[in-house]
Amino acid sequence: MSNLLSGETSPYLLQHAGQPVHWFPWGPAALERARRDDRPILLSIGYSACHWCHVMAHESFDDEATAALMNRLFVNIKVDREERPDLDQIYQTAHQLLTRQGGGWPLTVFLAPDGTPFHSGTYYPPEARHGRPAWRDLLESVAAAWQSQRGAIDQQGEAVRQALARTTPQATASEPAAVLAALGGPLQAVAGAWLAQRHDREHGGFGGAPKFPHATDLAWLLERGVAEGDGDARDIALLTLTRMAQGGLQDQLGGGFFRYSVDERWQIPHFEKMLSDNGLLLGLYAEATALTGDPLHGRAVEDGAGWLMREMQAPEGGYLSSLDADVEGREGRHYVWTSEEVRAALTPLEWDLASAHWDLIAAPNFEARHWHLGVVRPTAQLAATFDQPQAAIDEIITTVRAKLLARREQRLPPGRDDKVLTSWNALAITGMVRAAGLAGRPDWLQSARRAADFIHDHLWIEHQGRHRLLATWKDGQARFDAYLDDHAFLIEAMLALLQADFRLEDLRFAQALADELLDGFEDTAQGGFFFTRHDHERLIHRTKTGRDQALPSGNASAAWALQRLGHLVSEPRYLRAAERTLLLFAAEVAHQPGAWSRLLQAAVEQQCPPALIVLRGPQAREWRDALLQRCLPHTLVLAPPDATTGLPAPLDHPLPAAGGTTAWVCSGTQCLPPVHRLDELLAGLAPAPAPPTGR
């Protein structure tokens, strides 16, 4: 036996390819070896930007004696959770069932040769500490239990399989119309109250430390604030976005947001940067900027889009996955500063302002006399303190940020996971397109277009006479059948692109993806979509979940996207599949309304279809751009080029006579009279964006 990871494409697996552990990738060879030798499997799941994954790798997997013990007692399998979210979902759930505790990474699970888990944990240290056993002691005790307690292990395994099966929702016999009406009506307010109760009204966000962005919840709250006039929902979302942008969760110099905050004040983050988080937050901050005119939110958009294009877009066009938290084994090393380093880079006046802005004269907020930058005194406060115009203060702080970023770029950079994930690219495309429309930035739109074309050209592969979507690409090789999230998020991205830059081929691609979603994933008996295809590798469980996690729910996103696409192309199959999905999960939403924000968004549009605005005529693009710069929830804006043929009926309106431009506004089967003036169209839709607040 030997380490078999060197032929993999995952940067995370390749990080472990030189270790003395005889790692297998997940696959038939590893499972057959475990069956043949009747040895348990040690399954280790992580990802390349994971700090504690690196710690455990250095402490244990790089150690010859520890590796020898692992090799003697177990068949060792290493999995990248970003390539195989199907496995991660199953074994994170199994870990919670076995331990009654939350999971995380690295996830460490001991399996019977058939894949059934019988013991699990997360990070284990080399010596016992903080209530965790020493890794080698655990290995010995688990192997001994496998030999002496096989009957109990088999019995527990059967119980785990049954418990996993019970996590799959079942359709109810309730009256569908009443269920859907409740989901799109009263339960919306119940969910809003649930989030409001957990909202930190001083620092923003939900709950205490560690504190995550909850981008999907914020997007629903902001939409509810605009569409329903729910001022509390709007305030919760905007306060949280403001506090995150001021704090250390945002990279104050280079742009983009880190994974989460280890404290409740958003000061010190876990320093990994994920494409998925930033794609979700980018569009959200763009919406907030359009609503409030707040320059703090606007800078988050500008810097976030700049970071994505500068550091995360591959030359081929796709967006890359993540930046590591660690440099040379120290988390945050690339990002933190001593006061002496900052002072040396600046003029005396710049130092005075920067030290006050980030409070660098207080006690260091990070380890070893270092600061991680977060805004303590906004520029408006500095302007009053220094008796200077705020514009002048803003200009100096902008110069300071540029100087420090240039100095920081001379440091050793964090490692970058340079694989292209279809689902995360789709989230980033949607965020970039929405930000481009709201800010009027064609360069951002072009960046998103390049990423979308890359996915279509390199991950939409011909397979047995039809096309099939793949999940990941690295070094010219596309791998793994795409999952539910890949399809649902990519349909959403195509819908965003169709509004910003209509191409008929994008509409056809969206329809092909929707057909694959229905044919390959739908549970036609119970409703909803499985996470894996019908012809996927047989695992111990097939997940079907509707709750949002760090990412929006794939089932909820599928329902939302299929509804919108169904109205665009008059396809009842899409609408029926979306309705069955909402019905399947409605009982769970009623029982516990938290973490269903994406499904609630879909439920609103199931009850009241989104407004469809079709623009035709020589000024259609100008009208489109004016509409896209507004926050218009539950609205689709499309401006097909006048020469486009083969449009579906809802989009196929006649060209106006005498060179005029016309808007057709419909919702479902109800249409308003055509509108021939832009000012009339805008006046009937939404108020103009708010002026800057100066905050």
Side-chain angles (χ1 to χ4, degrees), residues 114-174:
D114 67 354
T116 304
F118 64 90
H119 187 85
S120 69
T122 52
Y123 161 79
Y124 289 100
E127 296 87 24
R129 58 176 180 260
H130 305 306
R132 297 174 185 266
W135 176 236
R136 282 192 280 183
D137 291 345
L138 179 71
L139 295 175
E140 296 275 15
S141 63
V142 169
W146 175 255
Q147 294 299 325
S148 63
Q149 301 177 38
R150 185 69 63 86
I153 287 174
D154 290 345
Q155 186 176 5
Q156 176 187 266
E158 179 59 29
V160 169
R161 284 178 173 268
Q162 292 177 8
L164 286 170
R166 288 194 295 272
T167 66
T168 302
Q170 300 295 311
T172 65
S174 301

Side-chain angles (χ1 to χ4, degrees), residues 287-309:
E287 297 273 1
T289 305
L291 283 173
T292 67
D294 191 330
L296 178 70
H297 299 155
R299 184 171 69 79
V301 178
E302 184 85 23
D303 291 353
W307 171 74
L308 281 173
M309 294 171 65

Side-chain angles (χ1 to χ4, degrees), residues 154-217:
D154 290 345
Q155 186 176 5
Q156 176 187 266
E158 179 59 29
V160 169
R161 284 178 173 268
Q162 292 177 8
L164 286 170
R166 288 194 295 272
T167 66
T168 302
Q170 300 295 311
T172 65
S174 301
E175 174 59 37
V179 170
L180 292 170
L183 193 61
L187 284 175
Q188 302 273 327
V190 172
W194 190 91
L195 287 171
Q197 183 180 6
R198 287 153 181 79
H199 176 232
D200 181 342
R201 294 190 177 270
E202 181 178 1
H203 306 300
F206 305 96
K211 189 172 278 186
F212 290 80
H214 288 267
T216 307
D217 291 333

Side-chain angles (χ1 to χ4, degrees), residues 203-338:
H203 306 300
F206 305 96
K211 189 172 278 186
F212 290 80
H214 288 267
T216 307
D217 291 333
L218 295 177
W220 175 72
L221 287 166
L222 200 59
E223 180 181 279
R224 183 169 174 80
V226 176
E228 305 297 328
D230 186 335
D232 195 34
R234 184 181 188 273
D235 290 346
I236 289 171
L238 292 177
L239 174 65
T240 301
L241 292 171
T242 296
R243 294 290 185 261
M244 291 195 304
Q246 289 175 331
L249 190 74
Q250 182 181 205
D251 180 352
Q252 298 291 329
L253 302 182
F257 286 83
F258 299 106
R259 184 71 186 90
Y260 63 86
S261 175
V262 302
D263 61 272
E264 75 280 2
R265 302 170 64 91
W266 306 107
Q267 289 184 332
I268 304 301
H270 182 40
F271 284 90
E272 62 193 64
K273 285 186 185 180
M274 316 295 287
L275 177 66
S276 52
D277 296 324
N278 282 279
L280 291 167
L281 288 170
L282 182 62
L284 186 53
Y285 272 96
E287 297 273 1
T289 305
L291 283 173
T292 67
D294 191 330
L296 178 70
H297 299 155
R299 184 171 69 79
V301 178
E302 184 85 23
D303 291 353
W307 171 74
L308 281 173
M309 294 171 65
R310 182 181 68 251
E311 298 190 35
M312 302 304 289
Q313 190 154 30
E316 297 88 350
Y319 296 116
L320 307 178
S321 295
S322 63
L323 294 182
D324 207 330
D326 299 3
V327 172
E328 296 182 330
R330 285 177 51 189
E331 184 174 11
R333 181 170 186 170
H334 180 72
Y335 300 101
V336 298
W337 298 83
T338 64

Side-chain angles (χ1 to χ4, degrees), residues 455-474:
I455 297 297
H456 180 273
D457 294 344
H458 296 275
L459 289 130
W460 182 238
I461 306 300
E462 188 172 352
H463 176 79
Q464 296 181 355
R466 61 188 297 176
H467 279 80
R468 177 173 290 208
L469 189 65
L470 299 185
T472 181
W473 180 95
K474 172 78 164 60

